[in-house]
């Protein structure tokens, strides 16, 4: 299928439904959703890089985009950043279509790709000033934005330092500053923590949360799932171009959690306690390890309380109970199959 033909079809289809004034100028679509993908498709020949993806991100929220390499994350982000056109469907940034109003989208969006170019023979302040001018910032406003961005990203102390002398972490800060220089409503960050040391990752995570607290909407992809679980208000799991699950981390965990691992420490007669537990339908995989009784438990929190109460009523001395809830990594492994295209 020819990609050029697909792109024209997408434009023709959406333009009829995009609100416009009598003079043809676009009308902002007011909504609490600052990012919205509507049945997005992107084909490269026979490869379906993105296939019928729809989701939205509320204003001031952080959305984690999760998937293996080649799943379609970067393709989706490039479409949102107006660097590529969808084959079908549309995407909206702060109420404006990436197909019909790309210039308006670019003014409202800051994009930090997974790989980016820097200029070896310029310093940090010159680099940021170049992009500020490219976005049309002038006079005092440009000066104030430069000062704020360098202060926020912690690069003010190396304003005169050549970019070629920066560490990977400081380059990431600088490029985050570049994406922030025009004060966009939406931030798209593609693998921003890749290659960073633990301290730099923690600092980046704090900056992203602060941006969300300031009202910015952030879409971020990462392979470090534990950090996404702590940082994101909601996540989407994508594989082979298809969105497999979306929602808050807790919601997805509850939807996918058929059982959890329980560990109960019995001060005396652990083997007898195990025999008692074996009669309960929601208990499986019993293992006795000294005073510890480990097993898979398919009940909810109320069933768990009833189970402990039953053990105590039968004279077993329950000293500790530990419940292991599935992590985002566990859910990711359960939802995906490790497929690439």
């Amino acid at each position: 299928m020819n990609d050029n033909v697909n792109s024209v079809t997408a434009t023709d289809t959406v333009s009829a439904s995009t609100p416009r004034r009598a003079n043809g100028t676009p009308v902002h679509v007011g909504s609490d959703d600052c990012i919205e993908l509507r049945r997005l498709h992107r084909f490269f020949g026979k490869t379906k890089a993105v296939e019928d993806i729809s989701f939205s991100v509320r204003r001031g929220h952080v959305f984690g985009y999760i998937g293996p390499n080649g799943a379609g994350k970067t393709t989706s982000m490039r479409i949102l950043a107006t660097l590529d056109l969808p084959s079908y469907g549309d995407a909206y940034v702060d109420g404006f279509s990436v197909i019909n109003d790309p210039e308006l989208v670019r003014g409202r969006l800051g994009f930090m790709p997974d790989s980016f170019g820097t200029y070896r023979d310029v310093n940090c302040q010159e680099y940021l000033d170049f992009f500020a001018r490219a976005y049309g910032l002038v006079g005092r406003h440009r000066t104030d934005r430069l000062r704020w961005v360098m202060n926020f990203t912690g690069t003010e102390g190396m304003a005169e330092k050549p970019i070629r002398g920066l560490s990977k972490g400081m380059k990431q800060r600088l490029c985050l500053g570049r994406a922030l220089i025009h004060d966009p409503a939406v931030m798209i960050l593609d693998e921003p923590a890749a290659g960073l040391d633990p301290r730099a990752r923690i600092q980046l995570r704090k900056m992203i949360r602060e941006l969300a607290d300031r009202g910015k909407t952030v879409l971020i992809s990462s392979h470090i799932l534990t950090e996404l679980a702590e940082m994101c208000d909601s996540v989407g799991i994508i594989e082979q171009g298809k969105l497999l699950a979306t929602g808050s981390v807790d919601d997805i965990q509850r939807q996918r959690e058929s059982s959890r691992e329980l560990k109960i420490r019995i001060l005396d007669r652990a083997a007898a306690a195990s025999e008692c537990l074996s009669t309960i339908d929601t208990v499986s995989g019993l293992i006795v390890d000294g005073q510890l009784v480990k097993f898979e438990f398919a009940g909810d929190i109320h069933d768990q309380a009833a189970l402990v109460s039953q053990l105590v009523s039968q004279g077993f001395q329950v000293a500790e109970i530990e419940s292991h809830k599935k992590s985002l990594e566990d859910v990711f492994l359960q939802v995906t199959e490790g497929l690439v295209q």
Side-chain angles (χ1 to χ4, degrees), residues 253-254 257-262 264 280-283 295-309 321-325:
Q253 286 172 331
R254 281 194 293 268
E257 190 175 73
S258 58
S259 65
R260 64 179 66 196
E261 184 185 54
L262 289 187
I264 299 181
I280 301 174
D281 293 338
T282 52
V283 171
F295 54 93
E296 290 290 318
F297 184 63
D300 60 21
I301 192 71
H302 301 289
D303 297 326
Q304 181 177 312
L307 180 146
V308 174
S309 178
I321 179 167
E322 178 183 341
S323 175
H324 173 67
K325 187 179 180 181

Side-chain angles (χ1 to χ4, degrees), residues 8 19 27 36-37 47 49 63 67 69 83 99 110 120 155 163 168 171 181 195 200 223 232 256 271 286 299 314 319:
V8 171
V27 177
E36 187 177 3
L37 277 63
T47 301
F63 183 90
N69 291 330
L83 298 175
I99 295 176
R120 292 174 52 85
T155 55
I163 291 177
K168 175 66 182 292
K171 284 183 179 178
I181 197 67
H223 291 295
C232 296
R256 301 287 170 171
L286 280 158
Q314 295 190 25

